[in-house]
C-alpha cells in the first residue's frame, strides 16, 4: 500500500490538526497528529498496519522496486565495498593510484601534504601513493580496516611529535573500538557531534510520514491553490540498511520540464573526487548546477524541499547548508558506479542527506540501487516522474552511514534526467 495525497483537501485548522485524504482509509480521509519539525508540519500516520505486515512487493505506484539479490550477504564478504580514509603525514602532495596490474596504475586524485582524503573501494583492492614517480606507500584494502596512515619520513621527528599525528593515532584506535561496539565503521570526521538538522524516523518498511506544504505546484497556466500533502514512505530502514524514503509527486509535470529545460543550458561532463575532481570511468554522465534564484518556479520548488525535509528552506542555499541543485543527464550505457555522497575532508561539516528527483525516465534501465540495503540483498528503485528518493548519509550519532552506498545503474534504452539536492550538517564547509 501507499498514500496518494489528494490536493487542496488538506487544510490546517486553528488547533493544528490536518485532514489528510488518501486512498488507504475507507472513507478517504483521516485526521493526523501534528508535530513541529523545522519549518514543516510533521504529520505522522505511523504504519499502514503492523510492522511485519508489509514487504517490498506491497509498495505500489513505483515503476520498479525490487531486491537485487535473492539472499542476504555478509557486510564484510570478500570483494565487498568499503569506505577508506587516508591520512598523509608526508610534507608533499602525493598522487593516489589504484593498482589495476599496470605499472602506472589508475590515477585517483591527490592527497594534500599533511592532509586527508577518502574514497570508496573494495576489499582486496590496492592503492599506492607516489611523489615524482617514486612510490611512498601502498595499502591493501581489508574488510574491517577503514583508516590508512601514510607515515612521516623516517627523519621527520617534528611530524612524528605533532598533535596532528597523535590525533590520527587516537582516531585509528577509536575507529577500532567503535566498530567492535556497533558493527559499523566510523567514516565521519573524528569527534563530530550528532546532527542538528531534522532526520525523519525510518523504523520499519512502509512506515509513512506526511508533510503539509503551502508551496503548491506550478503548472503551465499558473500556481495551484491550497496546501500539498506530501508522503514519505520508508523503502529501507536501519539496522538492515540505510534510511531511504520514497517521496511521491514532489514535482509537477511542468516543473519537471522546467528543470530539464534549464539543465540543458548548463550540463557538461561529470567529474568525481575532491578539489575540482577528475574524469573517471565510474561516472559517465553529464551534469550541471542550477541556482535557486534562476526562476520563480525553482524558488517555489526549494521552499517545498524545505517542507518535505523538515528543514527551514532559508538554509537550503550554498552560503548555508546546501549545494546548488545538481542536474544530471544519463544516455544509453551511462552510469554512476556505487559510491558514497559523503567524505571525510578533515572538517566536521558533512553531507547529511540526498534528495534525488526523477525528472525524465528512460525506457529501460537507469534504476538507483542501494547494494547494502535489506541486509545485503540490496534494492533498486525507479520511481514515477516527479517522485523523489530521500536518503540519509549520516547516522543519528553523527557518523557517516556506510550502508548509504548507492549507484546510478546503466541506461539500456532511452535517456534519464535527475536532479539532486545535497544538504550538509551542521553547515556547508565549502
Amino acid at each position: 500500500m501507499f498514500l496518494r495525497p489528494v490536493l487542496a483537501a488538506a487544510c490546517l485548522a486553528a488547533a493544528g490538526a490536518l485532514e489528510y485524504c488518501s486512498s488507504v482509509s475507507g472513507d478517504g480521509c483521516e485526521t493526523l497528529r501534528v508535530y513541529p519539525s523545522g519549518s514543516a508540519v510533521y504529520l505522522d500516520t505511523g504504519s499502514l498496519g503492523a510492522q511485519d505486515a508489509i514487504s517490498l512487493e506491497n509498495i505500489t505506484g513505483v515503476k520498479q522496486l525490487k531486491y537485487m539479490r535473492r539472499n542476504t550477504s555478509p557486510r564484510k564478504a570478500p570483494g565487498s565495498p568499503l569506505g577508506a580514509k587516508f591520512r598523509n603525514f608526508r610534507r608533499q602532495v602525493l598522487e593516489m593510484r589504484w593498482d589495476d596490474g599496470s605499472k602506472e596504475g589508475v590515477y585517483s586524485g591527490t592527497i594534500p601534504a599533511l592532509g586527508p582524503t577518502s574514497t570508496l573501494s573494495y576489499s582486496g583492492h590496492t592503492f599506492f601513493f607516489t611523489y615524482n614517480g617514486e612510490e611512498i606507500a601502498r595499502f591493501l584494502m581489508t574488510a574491517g580496516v577503514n583508516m590508512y596512515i601514510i607515515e612521516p619520513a623516517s627523519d621527520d621527528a617534528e611530524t612524528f611529535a605533532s598533535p596532528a599525528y597523535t590525533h590520527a593515532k587516537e582516531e585509528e584506535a577509536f575507529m577500532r573500538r567503535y566498530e567492535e561496539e556497533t558493527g559499523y565503521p566510523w567514516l565521519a570526521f573524528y569527534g563530530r557531534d550528532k546532527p542538528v538538522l531534522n532526520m525523519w524516523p525510518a523504523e520499519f518498511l512502509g512506515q509513512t510520514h506526511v508533510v503539509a506544504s503551502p508551496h503548491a505546484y506550478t503548472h503551465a497556466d499558473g500556481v495551484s491553490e491550497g496546501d500539498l500533502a506530501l508522503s514519505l514512505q520508508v523503502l529501507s530502514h536501519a539496522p538492515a540498511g540505510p534510511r531511504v524514503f520514497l517521496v511521491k509527486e514532489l514535482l509537477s509535470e511542468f516543473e519537471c520540464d522546467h528543470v530539464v529545460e534549464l539543465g540543458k543550458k548548463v550540463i557538461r561532463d561529470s567529474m568525481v573526487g575532491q578539489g575540482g575532481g577528475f574524469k573517471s570511468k565510474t561516472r559517465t554522465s553529464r551534469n550541471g548546477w542550477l541556482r535557486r534564484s534562476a526562476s520563480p518556479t525553482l524558488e517555489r520548488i526549494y521552499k517545498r524541499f524545505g517542507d518535505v525535509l523538515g528543514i527551514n528552506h532559508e538554509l537550503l542555499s550554498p552560503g548555508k547548508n546546501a549545494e546548488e541543485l545538481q542536474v544530471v543527464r544519463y544516455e544509453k550505457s551511462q552510469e554512476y558506479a556505487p559510491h558514497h555522497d559523503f567524505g571525510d575532508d578533515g572538517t566536521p561539516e558533512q553531507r547529511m542527506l540526498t534528495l534525488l528527483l526523477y525528472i525524465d525516465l528512460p525506457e529501460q534501465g537507469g534504476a538507483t540501487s542501494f547494494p547494502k540495503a535489506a541486509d545485503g540483498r540490496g534494492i533498486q528503485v525507479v520511481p514515477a516522474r516527479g517522485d523523489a528518493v530521500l536518503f540519509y548519509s549520516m547516522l543519528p550519532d553523527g557518523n557517516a552511514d556506510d550502508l548509504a552506498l548507492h549507484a546510478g545503474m546503466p541506461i539500456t534504452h532511452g535517456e534519464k534526467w535527475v536532479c539532486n539536492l545535497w544538504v550538509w550538517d551542521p553547515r556547508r564547509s565549502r
Side-chain angles (χ1 to χ4, degrees):
M1 294 182 178
F2 69 101
L3 296 180
R4 182 172 294 277
V6 177
L7 305 182
C11 59
L12 288 172
L18 182 140
E19 187 178 66
Y20 174 74
C21 302
S22 76
S23 60
V24 176
S25 61
D27 60 3
C29 296
E30 56 185 316
T31 300
L32 305 175
R33 301 184 304 278
V34 181
Y35 301 87
S37 177
S39 63
V41 178
Y42 171 23
L43 309 158
D44 188 1
T45 66
S47 69
L48 303 181
Q51 294 190 22
D52 58 355
I54 189 169
S55 65
L56 206 63
E57 293 79 6
N58 296 128
I59 298 176
T60 59
V62 190
K63 183 177 179 181
Q64 181 188 110
L65 178 61
K66 63 182 183 180
Y67 294 109
M68 300 175 68
R69 290 173 285 276
R70 184 181 300 273
N71 300 312
T72 60
S73 175
R75 291 178 184 171
K76 297 182 181 179
S80 59
L82 60 86
K85 302 166 70 170
F86 299 93
R87 298 290 182 266
N88 178 21
F89 286 98
R90 293 298 180 106
R91 296 176 180 271
Q92 302 85 24
V93 175
L94 304 180
E95 287 193 354
M96 177 177 177
R97 294 182 177 274
W98 170 56
D99 187 352
D100 66 342
S102 64
K103 180 180 179 180
E104 64 278 3
V106 176
Y107 178 77
S108 302
T110 61
I111 184 169
L114 303 175
T117 193
S118 59
T119 192
L120 186 282
S121 188
Y122 297 83
S123 61
H125 282 198
T126 296
F127 286 95
F128 61 97
F129 295 82
T130 63
Y131 178 68
N132 287 341
E134 177 187 357
E135 183 173 314
I136 303 299
R138 175 178 290 261
F139 301 104
L140 173 67
M141 301 295 99
T142 304
V145 179
N146 298 89
M147 185 168 178
Y148 301 86
I149 295 177
I150 302 171
E151 297 288 343
S154 58
D155 59 351
D156 190 355
E158 181 181 357
T159 300
F160 274 114
S162 68
Y165 184 74
T166 300
H167 184 81
K169 290 297 186 178
E170 291 174 352
E171 179 180 7
E172 188 177 39
F174 165 79
M175 290 175 64
R176 285 196 297 267
R177 293 195 306 271
Y178 182 88
E179 184 152 10
E180 289 172 359
E181 294 171 1
T182 68
Y184 289 88
W186 180 272
L187 298 178
F189 175 79
Y190 173 46
R192 74 147 283 143
D193 294 327
K194 296 179 180 180
V196 299
L197 299 179
N198 178 57
M199 294 181 70
W200 295 120
E203 298 158 330
F204 53 90
L205 189 64
Q207 181 181 18
T208 302
H209 311 295
V210 183
V211 171
S213 172
H215 304 107
Y217 297 132
T218 302
H219 301 288
D221 56 355
V223 178
S224 299
E225 296 182 358
D227 294 333
L228 292 177
L230 300 168
S231 65
L232 301 90
Q233 188 171 30
V234 174
L235 302 182
S236 172
H237 62 89
R243 293 162 171 82
V244 182
F245 299 82
L246 174 66
V247 185
K248 295 292 294 180
E249 300 172 353
L250 187 53
L251 298 185
S252 68
E253 290 283 336
F254 174 84
E255 290 167 341
C256 289
D257 291 338
H258 182 68
V259 174
V260 171
E261 180 182 357
L262 294 177
K264 288 179 178 178
K265 301 175 183 179
V266 298
I267 60 171
R268 57 179 178 78
D269 288 344
S270 298
M271 311 290 279
V272 299
Q274 302 173 3
F278 56 93
K279 283 191 63 61
S280 170
K281 294 180 180 179
T282 64
R283 190 181 190 190
T284 52
S285 59
R286 292 172 63 83
N287 74 323
W289 305 87
L290 298 177
R291 296 175 181 267
R292 66 180 289 175
S293 60
S295 72
T297 296
L298 269 186
E299 178 65 27
R300 176 170 287 273
I301 289 172
Y302 261 85
K303 291 178 178 179
R304 194 182 309 144
F305 289 167
D307 292 336
V308 81
L309 296 175
I311 297 172
N312 188 327
H313 76 84
E314 293 181 355
L315 297 178
L316 303 182
S317 62
K320 295 182 179 178
N321 286 75
E323 300 175 47
E324 293 178 345
L325 189 68
Q326 181 181 218
V327 183
V328 188
R329 185 188 72 186
Y330 294 87
E331 296 179 307
K332 185 177 179 180
S333 77
Q334 291 184 334
E335 64 179 318
Y336 196 171
H339 62 283
H340 291 125
D341 280 352
F342 61 82
D344 179 6
D345 63 356
T347 66
E349 292 81 14
Q350 180 186 305
R351 283 177 179 165
M352 172 191 177
L353 66 84
T354 301
L355 183 64
L356 178 64
L357 298 101
Y358 295 74
I359 51 179
D360 225 348
L361 301 181
E363 295 176 41
Q364 291 181 351
T368 298
S369 67
F370 295 88
K372 293 191 174 185
D375 287 318
R377 293 185 67 184
I379 63 172
Q380 60 186 59
V381 58
V382 180
R385 191 183 195 216
D387 291 357
V389 168
L390 164 66
F391 60 94
Y392 291 99
S393 292
M394 186 176 291
L395 296 171
D397 66 358
N399 187 16
D401 190 356
D402 180 54
L403 303 184
L405 185 76
H406 60 285
M409 301 181 73
I411 307 297
T412 53
H413 190 56
E415 181 178 88
K416 179 177 84 169
W417 284 81
V418 295
C419 62
N420 67 272
L421 184 72
W422 280 311
V423 178
W424 292 61
D425 182 279
R427 66 188 64 83
R428 190 182 176 207
S429 64
R430 58 182 184 277

